[in-house]
Amino acid sequence: MTDFASLSTLIGAGVTPTLTFLYQRLERLLDRNGAPESDLAIPAELTGTLALPLQADSDRLAERRQDLEMLRDGLNVYYRGDASVAPTDESLLRTLGRLRGMLEEIYGQRLTFEGEQRPTSGPFVRLRTDQVKGLQVGMDADEIVGDASVDHEVGTVEEGGTNIGMRARRIGGPPPS
């Protein structure tokens, strides 16, 4: 989950664009039931590169739906402009931190804003496995542009088992001309 201290540093980048971006992702997830999202406006304050379209993990979305609906209820007054958005509003910052953490978990992508001391936005995989008997792959793509990371801990890989953190034809940089 996103920590409050990290999120409070993003206020230098602008709490309003952060609120707008996160709230719009929340609305789309709930209203479209996690349908892929490629037509989004990415704020200049977001660092790194998101892999588009944003693809929701349907199981995680189902697990988090009730929490997401409560967050939408709480943030709606700010998004509509009925409550002022202030960089000193610790309750708002904590709520945005919880929302970002859930969005990152559901999308499998980090959402980082200017001024934060954390890895930039982009796809990530977090695996914790006690035992691998067959094939386990953290990330597999023909091309990954921008930052991508795999954080995994594996206890034991059994004989005949394979654990691959990331497998890609090309990682990072602009696509070849």
Side-chain angles (χ1 to χ4, degrees):
M1 219 30 114
T2 303
D3 65 299
F4 171 70
S6 175
L7 193 62
S8 67
T9 64
L10 74 85
I11 299 312
V15 70
T16 300
T18 301
L19 166 68
T20 300
F21 180 76
L22 295 176
Y23 190 85
Q24 287 173 348
R25 303 299 61 77
L26 171 62
E27 283 276 285
R28 294 262 178 109
L29 267 177
L30 294 174
D31 293 348
R32 296 181 183 179
N33 202 29
E37 184 180 2
S38 57
D39 61 336
L40 62 151
I42 298 175
E45 295 82 4
L46 192 75
T47 65
T49 305
L50 293 179
L52 298 177
L54 291 178
Q55 303 266 4
D57 179 310
S58 58
D59 291 336
R60 287 199 171 112
L61 175 56
E63 290 169 8
R64 294 295 197 166
R65 180 168 284 281
Q66 187 174 9
D67 294 330
L68 291 169
E69 289 171 351
M70 289 189 327
L71 288 173
R72 177 171 57 182
D73 291 344
L75 289 170
N76 194 14
V77 295
Y78 295 102
Y79 186 71
R80 286 191 332 249
D82 296 340
S84 63
V85 176
T88 56
D89 186 337
E90 290 188 19
S91 176
L92 171 61
L93 297 178
R94 275 192 300 278
T95 303
L96 287 174
R98 283 193 298 276
L99 173 57
R100 176 171 63 180
M102 287 182 208
L103 292 174
E104 288 180 333
E105 179 185 330
I106 290 166
Y107 286 129
Q109 296 202 52
R110 197 170 287 105
L111 304 170
T112 302
F113 297 86
E114 285 179 0
E116 292 187 279
Q117 299 302 309
R118 66 194 302 259
T120 60
S121 301
F124 73 92
V125 174
R126 191 172 292 129
L127 296 171
R128 302 294 178 257
T129 308
D130 291 329
Q131 188 176 47
V132 176
K133 293 182 180 182
L135 174 64
Q136 174 178 280
V137 179
M139 188 178 297
D140 185 355
D142 287 336
E143 182 173 306
I144 297 173
V145 177
D147 293 331
S149 63
V150 176
D151 171 17
H152 70 215
E153 293 177 14
V154 177
T156 305
V157 177
E158 297 292 324
E159 186 175 334
T162 304
N163 179 55
I164 299 171
M166 183 183 299
R167 176 174 37 205
R169 190 164 291 154
R170 188 172 77 71
I171 299 173
S177 317

